[in-house]
Amino acid sequence: MPDDSAPFARTVPSRPAATGESLLGGGLERPLPARKPGGDLPPELLGASKSEPGIIEYGPGEGSSSTLMRALLVLAVLTGLGLAGYLAYPAFRDRNTAMPAAAVEEKDRAVALLRRDDAASREQAIQSLQSLAATHPKYAEVQAELAVALTLQLADLNADFDRLKSQSDQLQAQLKGVTASKTPADWENRANALRSQMQELGREQEPLREAIAARRTKLDAQMDRVRAAPEVEPAATVAARLKAQALFAAVTSAPDALALAQRLRQAELTAAWSLLAHAEYALSSGSPAITLQNVSKELEGLRSQDRGLMRAYVLGARLALRQGDPTTARTLLDETLALNGKHEFAQRMLAQLPSTEPTPEPTRAPTPDPITEPVPEP
């Protein structure tokens, strides 16, 4: 205006607004007009208002249910992942140990040979299983079946040793009777003959004693491999390990033999090897007569269900002899040889049995009629 001392307004350089100052600079000290609704804000202020973050506050009790739902959802997802990992662990663990079909077939053939129970078939099975174990060391079922084959071999060696010892004990008893009675007249010759037979039996026992020790050493090492089991494995592998452990415990008269046999019976689809393990333990541990009778009945049922399991016949014969029943033992051994004529152990047992032919009674000379002398006449 003309009356103003300063016709032009002085320009003040812009600076950051101090606290409490007007946003339009210090030249205007009047307050800003009231803020308009969001739709009427100036463009520059409207843009600034959009950049500020929005904060939503819940009142008391609001949003707690949605938080709980999110927590439960996360927990369910983690549980599902854990369960999936647990179920997939066996497949993941064994991803590099899946056996080729040829190896499985060879293992099955070896197991079938063990059912024949003769020494030649068992040795063939051992050679096959050892080859498989060397080629596939992680094949747990092969390791277990190899332990079973070696255990059966040890059991037969023990039985042969016991058979010779029983014969030696019988000769010793006869020698004691002859020397005590000093009869008949040639008792000294009979005593010398008995001593000679005992010495021969002793020479037969010595290599058996060495073979038993060597087989036990090898079997102990194999059982260490069988017992080294992972926490989780297929049911068939669990059953194979229990089969090996139960049979080994039975043959060696281990204190946990009966418990292992019971566990094997629960794992088997059909009770078979658990019954054989029970019978082996009854023979090796010197079980009482009532136990021998019960085990004999179990084997009788097993033979009726599985006629091709030769071990059930041989063990039945041994149990019959232990109970003083050679007639039943002979019948079972005859059946064994009828089904498998190469079973040498059954042949040796049969040869040891006493003859069933009746002993002919000694013939007596006919008694002459009494001679009657004529009575003289008076």
Side-chain angles (χ1 to χ4, degrees):
M1 294 181 63
D3 296 337
D4 290 341
S5 59
F8 298 100
R10 185 168 53 91
T11 302
V12 180
S14 62
R15 67 181 186 274
T19 304
E21 291 183 348
S22 171
L23 293 176
L24 298 181
L28 296 177
E29 299 299 334
R30 59 183 179 273
L32 293 172
R35 187 172 180 177
K36 299 179 181 180
D40 299 331
L41 286 176
E44 64 274 15
L45 295 181
L46 183 61
S49 67
K50 291 182 179 180
S51 64
E52 295 178 359
I55 301 176
I56 301 176
E57 296 182 359
Y58 295 99
E62 295 181 2
S64 59
S65 61
S66 62
T67 302
L68 179 60
M69 290 298 294
R70 286 196 299 269
L72 292 176
L73 180 60
V74 172
L75 181 60
V77 171
L78 294 177
T79 303
L81 292 175
L83 180 61
Y86 175 79
L87 295 176
Y89 171 71
F92 175 79
R93 185 199 64 234
D94 298 335
R95 66 193 186 279
N96 293 324
T97 59
M99 294 301 116
V104 177
E105 292 176 359
E106 186 175 353
K107 185 265 298 181
D108 291 341
R109 285 193 296 269
V111 173
L113 287 172
L114 292 179
R115 290 172 52 83
R116 294 181 56 79
D117 199 52
D118 61 278
S121 297
R122 187 182 304 131
E123 183 61 30
Q124 183 180 350
I126 289 174
Q127 295 299 326
S128 178
L129 291 169
Q130 285 178 337
S131 176
L132 276 175
T135 307
H136 306 284
K138 293 185 179 181
Y139 198 174
E141 290 184 47
V142 164
Q143 300 288 0
E145 294 296 348
L146 178 57
V148 168
L150 296 175
T151 302
L152 294 174
Q153 201 172 53
L154 176 65
D156 280 1
L157 290 172
N158 287 336
D160 269 334
F161 186 87
D162 292 342
R163 176 179 57 83
L164 294 176
K165 186 177 183 301
S166 177
Q167 291 180 358
S168 181
D169 292 343
Q170 292 175 8
L171 293 176
Q172 180 66 37
Q174 295 177 23
L175 176 62
K176 184 177 180 180
V178 168
T179 55
S181 64
K182 295 184 177 5
T183 56
D186 62 341
W187 67 270
E188 291 183 348
N189 294 334
R190 295 194 177 189
N192 291 333
L194 290 172
R195 292 189 185 96
S196 177
Q197 294 178 39
M198 291 173 59
Q199 292 174 356
E200 180 63 27
L201 290 175
R203 285 191 291 269
E204 292 182 30
Q205 284 178 303
E206 190 58 32
L208 281 175
R209 187 179 288 107
E210 296 176 358
I212 289 171
R215 179 58 62 222
R216 180 60 188 270
T217 300
K218 184 175 182 178
L219 182 54
D220 287 341
Q222 183 63 26
M223 288 304 302
D224 289 340
R225 288 186 281 270
V226 171
R227 295 189 186 100
E231 296 181 359
V232 181
E233 56 186 354
T237 306
V238 173
R241 290 186 192 276
L242 281 175
K243 175 182 173 182
Q245 292 176 347
L247 201 62
F248 174 78
V251 171
T252 58
S253 303
D256 59 343
L258 293 178
L260 286 170
Q262 184 60 34
R263 288 179 58 191
L264 176 59
R265 179 173 297 190
Q266 296 172 357
E268 284 183 310
L269 297 177
T270 303
W273 286 93
S274 57
L275 301 180
L276 296 182
H278 196 186
E280 292 280 6
Y281 181 73
L283 288 167
S284 66
S285 62
S287 297
I290 185 63
T291 301
L292 299 180
Q293 293 174 8
N294 293 334
V295 174
S296 297
K297 292 179 180 178
E298 290 180 349
L299 291 182
E300 184 178 356
L302 177 58
R303 289 191 297 270
S304 65
Q305 296 176 4
D306 190 349
R307 292 187 55 82
L309 189 57
M310 296 292 96
R311 195 74 180 179
Y313 294 85
V314 176
L315 291 178
R318 291 179 60 193
L319 287 168
L321 288 176
R322 186 70 61 89
Q323 297 172 83
D325 185 4
T327 302
T328 300
R330 179 178 296 278
T331 300
L332 291 174
L333 292 173
D334 286 339
E335 292 180 5
T336 303
L337 294 174
L339 294 170
N340 181 8
K342 297 181 180 180
H343 204 297
E344 296 178 355
F345 184 77
Q347 294 174 357
R348 291 194 297 270
M349 287 185 63
L350 196 59
Q352 185 183 350
L353 293 179
S355 175
T356 57
E357 297 179 359
T359 303
E361 295 183 0
T363 57
R364 296 180 180 179
T367 304
D369 294 334
I371 301 174
T372 56
E373 298 180 356
V375 179
E377 294 181 357

